[in-house]
Amino acid sequence: MTQTTTSHRPIQALPDNLISQIAAGEVVERPSAVVKELLENALDAGATQIAVRLECGGVKRIAIADNGRGISSEQMPLALARHATSKIASLTDLENVSTLGFRGEALASIASVSQFVLSSRTEQAQHAWQIENGVVSPTSGAQGTTVDVQELYYNTPARRKFLKTEQTEFGHCAEVVKRIALARPDVTFTLSHNGKTVDHWNMASLDKRSAQIMGTEFAEARLPVDQCAGPLRLHGYAGLPTASKARPDAQFFYVNGRFVRDKLLTHAVRAAYQDVLHGDRYPSYVLALDLDPALVDVNVHPSKIEVRFRDSRAVHQFVFHAVQAALSHTSATAFGTAPAPLASSVFNLTQPASGSPAHSWRPTALSQTPLFQRATEFGVAQTTSSYGALFNAPRQNQTDSMPVAGADQPDEYPLGFAIAQLHGIYVLAQNSRGLVLVDMHAAHERILYEQLKNALDADALTVQSLLIPVTFFADQEAVGVVEEQQDVLRSLGFEIAVLSPTTLAVRAIPSLLKNADAEALARDVLRDVAEFGASRALLERRNELLGTLACHSAVRANRSLTGVEMNALLRQMEHTERADQCNHGRPTWVQLALNDLDKLFLRGQ
């Protein structure tokens, strides 16, 4: 292949306009980057009302008007000059940046690749002024600044070819407006596209603004976060696992008011969710970290979307513990943090379809099979007798012998008392608020998981030796894991031996899982250890592995429970952290208040 060479040229200074167009390649990547820079300037100017008007996804026109302090006529030429800014004047200022914009190159870069008009009026000025093509002239307008950017990249057609469809570019612009509006609920924002208003958010609290932007699903399943430690403060909302997404498109993190995508912060939040959200789901959150500007460098990327902390380890630990503390409050005893009650609209009040049984929902009768013959039969109760005090009458083979939560005991047992089991899957209980529905497998899974985790943390994981070892066929990978990772397996409570190149024997398992299928448990743990790699990698994924073990060991569907067993499950839920969700982020119980039930039957209407 023949290489072409340019003729030798002497070193020479580039013209200012070409320098600005080169800079525009970094600063003005697409229309949304223009929107971001102009919105940040408006907020730095103290604006409380901002209107964003777009045409053709922002390619044809971006006009942003604010009611900020404005720019005086004599300052306008400097506003469009490269590296001219009012926000920093020394290295000390650069190391303590408290504004969103500060580089002094955004307006110059934008103006170099568009038809650009800036008009502004200060509080003292008798009228507004505008600058176009370097000429300053009087114009009309209220206090504030309007930047009108038309025909983006008209003079750099090669760059314009790389833009996507109008709808795609508008989507990016709308996302930028949404991010900034979330950060500043004290500012009114209006967004219009092709002459139609798309979004309008009045001044509000973060509570209301986040509900408007992130939707009712997030608003009904979120926990407040507000933690301080020295110069650090983290505040905002962390979504419950029930508000998780298949994509990370509902994650908003701000550092000193600036939206960032920082790997350290993302990892800290993700780690905080590891107890309640496994698998491929992504948590939803809007969180703001405030700290001394001197402790963070925001000047590490042209778009200022990445930051660097002076003490990254301390920040990581602080964010991790703050979010984890908020999520740990999702216990069954904390009314108001439970999964949202089911809306009446989710119930089908129509008649059963032709041919379907009219009473197919009938709950199964309470079974009295004595499953609690040994302590921790299900890992739910320590002893059967420890729950004797819950009952006012001797146990009988009658459902009406079980107590229910009444006016005299509204808070002592928040989940109330079991009244039935539905299809061997759900426990129905009555409490002072109405009806509680419990997914018994999901609830028991969370209880087992927390017990395993706490025992491992306390180095108190007891082992149950098997009277007769369980042998099974294994492939070379599983045999290799047993031979190489004995220390890891023992730390998890497993004793597995190699009997032959294709045979393994399980000799001991964790006592908490003694009623589970030993072979299935062994295969699960060997698969996870093989996937996660060495012991260090396994330590990071330990909780996910414990979640797998708990899931496979929890009481299964279609298993009849006695009234004592169901009530024991409710009591354990009330004393288990994060009992509102299973290890996969699904709810373990829902509350139907009496008002919800009244609506179903049109009572009072």
Side-chain angles (χ1 to χ4, degrees):
M1 182 170 132
T2 304
Q3 269 191 331
T4 59
T5 58
T6 59
S7 60
H8 176 70
R9 291 175 178 168
I11 299 173
Q12 58 185 347
L14 295 174
D16 284 349
N17 189 54
L18 182 57
I19 293 173
S20 294
Q21 289 179 338
I22 293 172
E26 296 180 342
V27 179
V28 191
E29 184 181 2
R30 64 196 321 160
S32 60
V34 176
V35 173
K36 174 181 178 293
E37 296 290 345
L38 298 183
L39 284 177
E40 289 181 347
N41 281 344
L43 293 173
D44 285 342
T48 59
Q49 296 180 2
I50 302 176
V52 181
R53 288 183 293 148
L54 306 175
E55 293 181 19
C56 298
V59 178
K60 184 174 180 61
R61 188 177 193 183
I62 300 171
I64 297 183
D66 67 63
N67 66 342
R69 289 184 293 273
I71 305 171
S72 62
S73 58
E74 61 271 16
Q75 291 272 292
M76 281 188 168
L78 268 178
L80 299 187
R82 290 187 303 108
H83 306 305
T85 178
S86 63
K87 299 170 186 178
I88 59 172
S90 66
L91 180 60
T92 301
D93 292 340
L94 185 61
E95 292 175 344
N96 293 271
V97 172
S98 59
T99 53
L100 296 174
F102 57 86
R103 290 173 175 269
E105 59 186 322
L107 291 183
S109 299
I110 295 168
S112 71
V113 292
S114 68
Q115 296 173 3
F116 185 94
V117 179
L118 182 150
S119 60
S120 190
R121 179 179 178 180
T122 62
E123 184 180 7
Q124 296 78 18
Q126 295 181 346
H127 56 79
W129 294 83
Q130 75 173 28
I131 181 169
E132 182 176 8
N133 296 324
V135 178
V136 179
S137 59
T139 187
S140 60
Q143 179 184 333
T145 300
T146 298
V147 181
D148 197 345
V149 179
Q150 297 189 41
E151 302 300 338
L152 194 61
Y153 302 130
Y154 79 101
N155 54 356
T156 52
R159 181 165 292 153
R160 193 161 185 167
K161 290 179 181 178
F162 283 93
L163 296 178
K164 304 300 181 183
T165 64
E166 174 182 326
Q167 198 57 37
T168 297
E169 294 300 340
F170 170 70
H172 286 290
C173 292
E175 182 68 16
V176 166
V177 177
K178 180 169 68 173
R179 291 173 187 166
I180 293 178
L182 264 175
R184 294 296 303 272
D186 58 324
V187 176
T188 295
F189 290 87
T190 302
L191 172 63
S192 62
H193 187 221
N194 295 336
K196 294 182 179 179
T197 299
V198 177
D199 285 308
H200 177 78
W201 303 298
N202 287 320
M203 293 181 186
S205 62
L206 179 60
D207 182 355
K208 186 174 181 180
R209 178 67 60 86
S210 60
Q212 291 172 328
I213 291 179
M214 300 183 71
T216 55
E217 182 181 357
F218 177 78
E220 293 176 353
R222 63 184 178 182
L223 298 167
V225 178
D226 198 344
Q227 294 280 337
C228 295
L232 305 176
R233 181 195 177 200
L234 186 72
H235 55 102
Y237 291 96
L240 288 167
T242 49
S244 64
K245 302 280 188 179
R247 298 173 55 197
D249 56 0
Q251 300 181 345
F252 300 89
F253 208 112
Y254 302 87
V255 175
N256 288 346
R258 184 190 311 277
F259 175 82
V260 298
R261 280 203 190 97
D262 185 86
K263 292 181 180 178
L264 178 137
L265 297 174
T266 301
H267 182 273
V269 176
R270 182 72 186 182
Y273 273 89
Q274 67 180 351
D275 269 359
V276 293
L277 194 63
H278 295 163
D280 298 326
R281 303 289 293 179
Y282 294 90
S284 301
Y285 53 81
V286 50
L287 296 169
L289 177 66
D290 297 336
L291 72 165
D292 186 337
L295 300 178
V296 58
D297 183 2
V298 297
N299 194 29
V300 297
H301 191 275
S303 66
K304 304 187 291 290
I305 204 167
E306 298 175 7
V307 295
R308 182 181 295 119
F309 296 101
R310 187 160 294 181
D311 190 345
S312 57
R313 180 177 177 82
V315 171
H316 182 281
Q317 288 299 98
F318 169 68
V319 171
F320 167 72
H321 288 296
V323 177
Q324 187 184 56
L327 293 173
S328 68
H329 294 157
T330 59
S331 67
T333 58
F335 282 142
T337 62
L342 297 176
S344 299
S345 58
V346 305
F347 291 93
N348 183 1
L349 299 180
T350 59
Q351 293 297 320
S354 177
S356 65
H359 300 287
S360 60
W361 57 269
R362 187 183 69 247
T364 58
L366 286 174
S367 168
Q368 295 298 325
T369 306
L371 296 179
F372 271 89
Q373 294 179 349
R374 299 189 304 272
T376 64
E377 176 72 25
F378 281 97
V380 173
Q382 298 303 312
T383 62
T384 310
S385 60
S386 64
Y387 293 96
L390 298 179
F391 302 95
N392 298 322
R395 281 193 293 152
Q396 301 172 0
N397 293 336
Q398 297 176 358
T399 60
D400 61 1
S401 67
M402 292 183 294
V404 295
D408 58 333
Q409 46 180 204
D411 300 318
E412 187 176 0
Y413 305 117
L415 294 182
F417 294 92
I419 54 178
Q421 187 179 8
L422 183 63
H423 285 302
I425 301 174
Y426 301 103
V427 171
L428 278 62
Q430 176 180 328
N431 66 358
S432 60
R433 303 175 72 200
L435 180 67
V436 173
L437 292 89
V438 177
D439 182 331
M440 66 184 194
H441 171 75
H444 190 227
E445 182 182 343
R446 166 56 67 179
I447 291 167
L448 273 180
Y449 168 71
E450 292 293 338
Q451 290 177 340
L452 284 168
K453 186 176 61 139
N454 293 337
L456 209 59
D457 289 340
D459 197 21
L461 189 63
T462 59
V463 173
Q464 175 73 51
S465 297
L466 302 182
L467 186 62
I468 302 176
V470 176
T471 60
F472 61 95
F473 174 82
D475 57 22
Q476 292 181 350
E477 182 181 37
V479 172
V481 170
V482 172
E483 292 176 337
E484 298 170 9
Q485 302 285 357
Q486 277 294 319
D487 290 342
V488 173
L489 294 173
R490 277 194 291 267
S491 72
L492 293 168
F494 287 86
E495 184 181 337
I496 305 176
V498 178
L499 297 186
S500 77
T502 58
T503 308
L504 296 176
V506 183
R507 293 175 174 168
I509 62 175
S511 297
L512 287 168
L513 309 179
K514 64 183 180 181
N515 296 305
D517 184 327
E519 179 183 340
L521 279 180
R523 290 188 182 278
D524 285 336
V525 76
L526 292 176
R527 183 188 64 248
D528 284 352
V529 171
E531 179 183 349
F532 300 156
S535 57
R536 181 176 178 181
L538 179 62
L539 182 63
E540 296 177 358
R541 304 296 294 274
R542 183 202 71 166
N543 287 352
E544 192 161 342
L545 189 151
L546 295 181
T548 299
L549 298 180
C551 180
H552 284 275
S553 308
V555 58
R556 292 295 179 181
N558 300 317
R559 184 73 175 270
S560 295
L561 302 182
T562 67
V564 175
E565 291 160 351
M566 288 189 285
N567 281 301
L569 182 66
L570 299 176
R571 301 293 79 80
Q572 280 288 77
M573 289 174 65
E574 292 166 350
H575 293 88
T576 300
E577 280 192 346
R578 306 173 185 88
D580 284 350
Q581 292 89 29
C582 74
N583 310 324
H584 309 289
R586 294 188 294 270
T588 59
W589 66 286
V590 295
Q591 173 82 58
L592 276 176
L594 287 174
N595 288 340
D596 298 319
L597 298 172
D598 288 343
K599 291 176 183 177
L600 293 177
F601 294 97
L602 307 180
R603 290 177 61 86
Q605 298 185 26

